[in-house]
């Protein structure tokens, strides 16, 4: 069983179906140890109740991911490509600005426009 809720969100004109990580435990687990996303799941949306700078690592994450950073207005503020960790310590990927959401999708599968608005539903 998947421990995450599933929601549909849009980024600009693109609709994606994602798992939601909105608790500390879910955010810490993320997409670790997942070899491939199941059919119908496009990625994972990380949700915080505040706006702050964040940093991600790829420790125990098996697939390359693009991480899309969303600011306090839920506008796309940047993107990084994160590769599975092969060193100790793992590199970190800091957000370019204070963020309230981050979206992970398999690397290279999306081309979301800078400034695009994130919306649920």
């Amino acid at each position: 069983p998947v421990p995450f809720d599933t929601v549909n969100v849009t980024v600009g004109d693109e609709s994606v179906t994602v798992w939601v990580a909105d608790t500390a435990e879910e955010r810490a687990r993320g997409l670790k140890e997942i070899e491939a996303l199941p059919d119908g799941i496009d990625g994972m949306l990380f949700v915080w109740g505040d706006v702050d700078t964040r940093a991600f690592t790829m420790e125990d994450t098996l697939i390359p991911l693009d991480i899309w950073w969303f600011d306090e207005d839920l506008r796309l503020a940047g993107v990084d490509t994160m590769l599975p960790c092969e060193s100790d310590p793992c590199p970190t990927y800091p957000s370019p600005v204070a963020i309230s959401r981050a979206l992970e999708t398999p690397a290279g599968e999306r081309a979301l426009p800078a400034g695009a608005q994130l919306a649920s539903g």
Side-chain angles (χ1 to χ4, degrees):
V2 175
F4 301 105
D5 291 334
T6 302
V7 299
N8 293 314
V9 297
T10 57
V11 180
D13 295 333
E14 189 150 356
S15 179
V16 290
T17 302
V18 295
W19 286 331
V20 177
D22 58 5
T23 67
E25 180 181 332
E26 289 172 345
R27 289 188 299 266
R29 175 168 163 67
L31 294 175
K32 289 179 180 178
E33 300 176 354
I34 292 178
E35 294 179 6
L37 292 174
D39 285 344
I41 298 295
D42 300 309
M44 176 169 277
L45 181 67
F46 293 79
V47 177
W48 293 270
D50 64 344
V51 178
D52 204 348
T53 53
R54 317 277 181 199
F56 279 60
T57 180
M58 291 289 283
E59 184 176 352
D60 298 324
T61 305
L62 307 175
I63 55 176
L65 297 168
D66 287 333
I67 186 161
W68 308 89
W69 308 103
F70 293 89
D71 66 16
E72 64 183 325
D73 297 322
L74 302 182
R75 295 223 170 256
L76 181 57
V79 60
D80 286 300
T81 298
M82 305 185 300
L83 301 176
C85 179
E86 296 180 358
S87 62
D88 186 18
C90 290
T92 58
Y93 299 87
S95 62
V97 297
I99 61 162
S100 63
R101 307 280 188 279
L103 173 64
E104 289 180 345
T105 59
E109 286 193 2
R110 307 263 172 220
L112 304 175
Q117 183 77 43
L118 174 71
S120 298

